[in-house]
Amino acid sequence: MHTKEAQGERIAMVAKSVGEGTSQIERQAVTSDISQVASYLQQHLGQKVTAYLSGINDSKLVGQWAAGRVQPRPAPTHRLRTAYQAARYLVDAYDNETAQAWFFGTNSKLGGRAPAFALREGEDPGVWSSVVSVAKAFVETKPSRPKEEIGASAMASYLLEHLGADLTSYLTGVDEVTRVEQWAEGALVPEPLAFGRLRAGYEAAREIAYAFGDETAQSWFSGMNPSLDDEAPGYVLRHSSDATVWKSVVEAAEELVEFDR
């Protein structure tokens, strides 16, 4: 586990290299064999996450790419190289967990979309390159003080404590309560869509529970909400795979708290 001082030094070093123009990371992203790129992403982001952001549905294919047995098609290749560059900045400055969280967090610089979603759904190389620019900015703007990130385990633990197991499993889109409990224990990592819902649920629950208490938060997730076209926030999270929609749930929670002040 890195100390905050050591992590601060690493962030500063990566930020410095970012600011010096074409870095070694950029060159490696372009020149490395695609099997090395896929292997790096598989190791640091996980096979399922790598499959998601590269635009494919079969995560086992990532392992074949990494082993050099199969070559990805052009579009996944470009997405992989883009993701590699962004991931390297984040992993080198922070750690694997922060990089994973960053890829699935809503990002105002990407129109409220998560970087992973922008990579997967984007067809324009300009969109893909913007993901790298945002990753650079993330590192550059926090050179001396590490950004505090909370991992899936802590988010799942918080929701279990404040919303309960049934509601947490419902809004994250899983049917087995035991899976949420495994997330909380760190024994299992959420799949990409579940992770996105988990983060949005955590951010919204934290706002409501802190301001009004656990019972109100539970009721809020289950009740119709005019800011969400009269759908319940929990229902919206469970049935959407769009990060902009997840963000709207968080914004609805923030609006409620702000209105009460």
Side-chain angles (χ1 to χ4, degrees), residues 3-247:
T3 65
K4 289 188 176 181
E5 292 78 7
Q7 189 179 54
E9 291 177 3
R10 290 191 297 121
I11 294 170
M13 289 176 61
V14 176
K16 184 175 183 293
S17 72
V18 167
E20 291 175 345
T22 303
S23 69
Q24 183 180 4
I25 291 175
E26 292 176 86
R27 289 193 294 271
Q28 289 176 343
V30 174
T31 61
S32 294
D33 188 85
I34 196 62
S35 64
Q36 295 176 302
V37 171
S39 179
Y40 178 90
L41 293 173
Q42 180 177 243
Q43 177 184 353
H44 293 279
L45 299 184
Q47 195 172 77
K48 291 180 179 178
V49 170
T50 302
Y52 178 84
L53 57 84
S54 65
I56 65 169
N57 296 320
D58 184 2
S59 60
K60 293 180 180 178
L61 193 55
V62 173
Q64 295 179 325
W65 293 343
R69 289 195 292 269
V70 177
Q71 289 289 312
R73 293 178 180 274
T77 295
H78 289 306
R79 293 187 178 105
L80 287 169
R81 293 193 185 279
T82 301
Y84 170 85
Q85 192 172 335
R88 276 291 306 275
Y89 289 127
L90 296 160
V91 171
D92 287 0
Y94 294 92
D95 50 37
N96 294 349
E97 190 171 74
T98 299
Q100 292 162 7
W102 182 88
F103 269 102
F104 287 93
T106 55
N107 198 300
S108 60
K109 293 182 179 180
L110 295 172
R113 295 172 298 173
F117 182 85
L119 281 175
R120 181 180 177 87
E121 300 299 329
E123 299 292 339
D124 182 357
V127 174
W128 303 337
S129 64
S130 68
V131 172
V132 177
S133 298
V134 174
K136 285 183 177 182
F138 183 85
V139 173
E140 280 185 300
T141 55
K142 300 288 186 180
S144 60
R145 181 165 59 89
K147 179 177 174 64
E148 294 296 334
E149 286 286 347
I150 184 168
S153 175
M155 289 190 288
S157 295
Y158 180 92
L159 292 179
L160 285 174
E161 178 183 353
H162 295 275
L163 298 186
D166 290 337
L167 182 53
T168 300
S169 62
Y170 176 82
L171 64 85
T172 54
V174 301
D175 297 321
E176 304 88 2
V177 171
T178 54
R179 284 176 63 187
V180 178
E181 294 171 342
Q182 288 175 314
W183 297 344
E185 295 167 356
L188 188 67
V189 177
E191 295 183 357
L193 290 179
F195 184 90
R197 296 180 183 120
L198 178 69
R199 174 170 288 279
Y202 165 77
E203 291 177 354
R206 186 177 56 179
E207 293 285 339
I208 303 295
Y210 180 80
F212 306 110
D214 293 355
E215 290 186 8
T216 299
Q218 294 162 13
S219 299
W220 182 84
F221 272 99
S222 303
M224 292 190 301
N225 194 300
S227 297
L228 300 171
D229 296 327
D230 289 329
E231 298 284 5
Y235 179 89
V236 172
L237 286 177
R238 180 180 179 88
H239 292 281
S240 176
S241 57
D242 186 344
T244 58
V245 176
W246 303 338
K247 182 182 179 182

Side-chain angles (χ1 to χ4, degrees), residues 244-259:
T244 58
V245 176
W246 303 338
K247 182 182 179 182
S248 70
V249 172
V250 178
E251 290 174 342
E254 293 171 342
E255 288 171 6
L256 177 63
V257 174
E258 186 64 29
F259 178 79

